[in-house]
Amino acid sequence: MSTAIRHDDLRKRNRAMVIAAVRRAGQPSRTEIAGSTGLSHSTISAISADLIAEGILVETKGTEAVSSKRGRPQVALGLAPDAAEIVTVVLSLHLLAVAVVDYSGQVIAAEERRLDTLTMSREALLGDCVAMVCRQIEARRAAGRRVLRIGMAVQGITDSVSRIMLWSPITPHAHLEFGDRLEAATGIPVTVDNDCNMIAVALRWRRPERYRNDFIAILLSHGIGMGMMLRGEPFTGTQSSGGEFGHMIHRPDGALCRCGRRGCVEAYAGNYAIWRNAGRWSEDEAPLADISDEEIRALADRARAADGPEREAFRVAGEAIGFGLGSLFALIDPAPVALVGIGATAFDLIEPALREAIAKTAGGQHNGEISFDIEPNEVPLIREGCTMNALTFVDREIFAPGAAPASTEGAA
């Protein structure tokens, strides 16, 4: 029995390695898979034959690798788009977006709806989310497709184990059980994660040469969020999504934050905080519910054009972010940083104060080694992170063990 168990575990591991190599490379040859996995050519040939027979992989001529020994093109392997599908759900301030993604990672259907998340009732918010997801899944079932996983990202603090949105600035309601409601309505396993954690997952897939084991993604938007990878794994708390960088205290008893507390990093660096400071309004002024991207771009243009309250507001934002990062680097050592969102487009305005603040902290002793990259649009990254999380689960936990072929007849 023990030998059989070890053989099954080895088979699962090898199948997972082959699928992962194909997903990472896109359309590699068997020789390229051997090079990246260390598996023998005979093992790869046997596994790929099984995976092709099961409808998980397909042979393709899309990217032909040339053998240096024989000079003959090799047939590449790709992921079979029809093997399975997943659904992604992104809920942010005033926006609900749902997408259906095939097994190769291509979006095949999408729906977006503007919601007044700040005023909707608890049941209306949950109900609208469930209804949109069910509408997409029913359409896929009618087409004979199999949806195997739902991945949801929300703006706010989440408990990924209980699949609950614990708190969010986008709604007055707390402890929203999105996972249970979606799973009960669809019969499909659901994950619920913080949106910034999904940004970090997406960056690691997009640019593994830069974003590998340790890195940080800071969302600079109406609010301030953080996704962090440590030793190749997303950092999460024991009871929540963790990583609440925006609600670290910058100045005790300072400016009013959306969370109701005072002095948070976000209360100086969020869009509403920059807008408030640029207008020379009181720090006790209630944060605006929303500010458009166009308004923030126009404010940044005014700051570039003249030295005034607008430029000072961006300087104050950079200082708050810099002190926060410096304190973080004192704990984990410097790591690459991605600044994501509309606020990142004003990096030229915040960078001097940001670096100056980092240099004043214990974490700034290697300030010259800290590098920043800019990603102006967070929405595609959030969706991509949800997509990759869901697809890699299907890879490892459903197809790698040798689940039944992806027949769609009567599938959930």
Side-chain angles (χ1 to χ4, degrees):
M1 178 65 70
S2 61
T3 301
I5 292 173
R6 287 196 298 270
H7 180 269
D8 288 345
D9 288 345
L10 180 62
R11 177 176 176 271
K12 176 182 176 180
R13 187 202 70 175
N14 290 346
R15 282 169 61 98
M17 289 175 68
V18 171
I19 295 171
V22 176
R23 186 168 297 286
R24 172 64 69 188
Q27 294 184 354
S29 68
R30 290 169 176 80
T31 299
E32 289 168 330
I33 296 172
S36 64
T37 63
L39 297 174
S40 68
H41 287 271
S42 60
T43 297
I44 292 169
S45 293
I47 290 173
S48 62
D50 288 343
L51 293 173
I52 290 169
E54 293 168 21
I56 297 168
L57 297 184
V58 293
E59 289 188 333
T60 175
K61 296 180 181 179
T63 303
E64 293 185 335
V66 178
S67 168
S68 59
K69 291 184 178 180
R70 300 184 180 181
R72 294 189 303 181
Q74 297 183 14
V75 175
L77 294 174
L79 300 164
D82 295 341
E85 294 175 354
I86 60 98
V87 169
T88 65
V89 187
V90 178
L91 178 64
S92 57
L93 181 66
H94 301 322
L95 180 67
L96 174 64
V98 175
V100 181
V101 183
D102 70 24
Y103 189 59
S104 70
Q106 298 300 307
V107 175
I108 54 178
E111 181 178 356
E112 289 188 0
R113 182 181 172 192
R114 183 170 176 81
L115 304 175
D116 191 351
T117 59
L118 290 171
T119 62
M120 294 177 72
S121 70
R122 179 188 190 92
E123 281 306 309
L125 185 56
L126 286 165
D128 280 10
C129 180
V130 170
M132 186 180 289
V133 172
C134 286
R135 186 158 53 246
Q136 291 296 329
I137 289 175
E138 287 166 5
R140 302 316 300 159
R141 286 173 173 163
R145 302 301 185 189
R146 181 169 73 161
V147 178
L148 297 182
R149 193 82 165 169
I150 299 171
M152 182 174 187
V154 299
Q155 183 181 342
I157 302 173
T158 63
D159 181 342
S160 59
V161 175
S162 299
R163 304 173 306 169
I164 293 173
M165 185 177 76
L166 298 172
W167 174 86
S168 175
I170 70 172
T171 174
H173 311 295
H175 291 81
L176 292 168
E177 299 175 341
F178 284 106
D180 286 351
R181 290 288 290 269
L182 285 169
E183 195 163 302
T186 65
I188 299 169
V190 180
T191 59
V192 178
D193 293 288
N194 171 264
D195 57 352
C196 290
N197 287 344
M198 294 300 94
I199 288 173
V201 169
L203 288 171
R204 192 162 185 247
W205 275 94
R206 280 191 181 186
R207 296 183 59 190
E209 71 285 354
R210 172 175 170 82
Y211 302 114
R212 187 174 295 275
N213 293 325
D214 300 310
F215 67 89
I216 297 162
I218 302 290
L219 177 61
L220 305 181
S221 186
H222 198 65
I224 304 295
M226 182 181 77
M228 182 164 59
M229 284 279 182
L230 294 178
R231 300 189 179 186
E233 295 293 332
F235 172 80
T236 58
T238 56
Q239 297 178 339
S240 72
S241 47
E244 285 300 316
F245 178 84
H247 300 290
M248 293 169 56
I249 296 300
H250 173 51
R251 293 179 184 169
D253 301 318
L256 181 63
C257 181
R258 283 190 306 169
C259 71
R261 291 182 285 270
R262 289 183 173 273
C264 300
V265 170
E266 182 181 296
Y268 296 91
N271 287 354
Y272 68 85
I274 295 172
W275 189 268
R276 181 170 58 189
N277 285 337
R280 294 180 174 175
W281 296 315
S282 168
E283 290 186 344
D284 298 329
E285 189 86 18
L288 293 178
D290 197 7
I291 300 168
S292 70
D293 289 355
E294 290 73 21
E295 289 172 313
I296 289 298
R297 289 192 184 96
L299 187 68
D301 287 340
R302 292 198 295 274
R304 294 183 183 101
D307 188 6
E310 295 89 355
R311 187 177 295 178
E312 175 63 12
F314 283 101
R315 188 201 67 78
V316 168
E319 181 182 67
I321 297 165
F323 277 121
L325 282 173
S327 297
L328 184 61
F329 290 148
L331 296 175
I332 67 168
D333 285 341
V337 178
L339 297 177
V340 182
I342 185 62
T345 61
F347 184 60
D348 58 314
L349 295 169
I350 68 175
E351 182 181 14
L354 185 155
R355 287 196 178 274
E356 183 179 349
I358 290 177
K360 295 177 180 178
T361 68
Q365 57 184 321
H366 303 294
N367 198 1
E369 299 177 11
I370 300 170
S371 60
F372 296 90
D373 264 10
I374 306 301
E375 296 282 350
N377 190 353
E378 72 273 19
V379 175
L381 287 167
I382 297 169
R383 289 171 174 164
E384 189 174 332
C386 287
T387 295
M388 298 317 300
N389 258 10
L391 288 175
T392 52
F393 176 87
V394 174
D395 294 344
R396 297 169 184 169
E397 303 302 327
I398 298 178
F399 289 159
S407 170
T408 59
E409 191 68 31

